Amino acid sequence: TCSGLHAIAYSSINNHIYTECSGGGGILEFNVEGLGIQFVHQHLSMTGSLYEVPDGSYVIATNKGGNKLHVFKPNGNGMQSSLAYDVEVPGYPSTPQFYPLDNVDGGADYMACMPLTSNPNQNHIDPESNDVMCSYYNGCTGAQTLADIDRGICYHDETMSSPKDLMRVSSIMVATDDALCQRCMEQGNYE
């Protein structure tokens, strides 16, 4: 079930539109060649904001919640696209920008660079599951010294209208251990 749409991308290779369902439902793929719209496939296990690589060779989905980048390869018109790559990207990947590369070996023509909306610092990542364990959303914020930040604790501006904004800290402040993220205080999280 798809209760609404959140993101959309068009592939000039196969004349398909890709849409992300809001609230679950995966990614829908439609053939829009000609005058009609034909449903092609529902990629249930994939989600994310959608982007076309500039030459149309791939459609990318940045799956923030899953910490992944889904890369779809458009096939022929009316045919389901294939999942070319499913790349782990810890840190909640966001809007990619595509930079052209010299195509020497027939490989990819573009490099995708994207901001991470959470700090993928080694102290934030569970080494066994590769999941982000320490972020604004699960309580690892409130750094009060530069040492806290060096250990991977984020400092968010709690006074602004967007309290998830990361702040740059350039001076040492007074800290108490009570204010620190419990996960980040464990010695096992440090080299």
Side-chain angles (χ1 to χ4, degrees), residues 10-103:
Y10 173 75
S11 169
S12 55
I13 299 290
N14 61 3
N15 297 311
H16 285 192
I17 285 183
Y18 302 77
T19 61
E20 177 196 20
C21 293
S22 54
I27 292 174
L28 303 177
E29 185 176 351
F30 297 94
N31 178 4
V32 294
E33 184 178 54
L35 298 176
I37 297 175
Q38 173 192 14
F39 173 77
V40 175
H41 186 72
Q42 184 171 12
H43 304 270
L44 278 171
S45 62
M46 283 119 202
T47 189
S49 295
L50 296 156
Y51 308 90
E52 182 186 23
V53 172
D55 68 357
S57 57
Y58 295 98
V59 172
I60 310 292
T62 55
N63 181 347
K64 285 184 186 178
N67 289 299
K68 288 189 179 194
L69 190 69
H70 306 295
V71 182
F72 295 96
K73 177 73 175 159
N75 292 315
N77 182 264
M79 297 174 58
Q80 172 185 336
S81 295
S82 53
L83 181 66
Y85 306 98
D86 214 10
V87 183
E88 297 282 333
V89 184
Y92 307 120
S94 191
T95 315
Q97 292 295 311
F98 301 99
Y99 296 96
L101 300 172
D102 292 333
N103 187 354

Side-chain angles (χ1 to χ4, degrees), residues 75-155:
N75 292 315
N77 182 264
M79 297 174 58
Q80 172 185 336
S81 295
S82 53
L83 181 66
Y85 306 98
D86 214 10
V87 183
E88 297 282 333
V89 184
Y92 307 120
S94 191
T95 315
Q97 292 295 311
F98 301 99
Y99 296 96
L101 300 172
D102 292 333
N103 187 354
V104 192
D105 61 355
D109 294 325
Y110 295 91
M111 173 176 48
C113 296
M114 67 206 74
L116 303 178
T117 55
S118 183
N119 183 353
N121 182 295
Q122 68 177 357
N123 301 321
H124 288 195
I125 306 294
D126 182 327
E128 291 180 21
S129 68
N130 208 30
D131 291 335
V132 175
M133 299 300 293
C134 201
S135 70
Y136 179 85
Y137 298 102
N138 59 11
C140 193
T141 189
Q144 295 185 22
T145 67
L146 290 174
D148 293 347
I149 292 167
D150 288 342
R151 290 195 307 260
I153 301 171
C154 292
Y155 176 58

Side-chain angles (χ1 to χ4, degrees), residues 172-184:
I172 297 177
M173 299 171 279
V174 177
T176 63
D177 285 347
D178 294 340
L180 305 180
C181 169
Q182 294 301 312
R183 174 179 163 73
C184 295

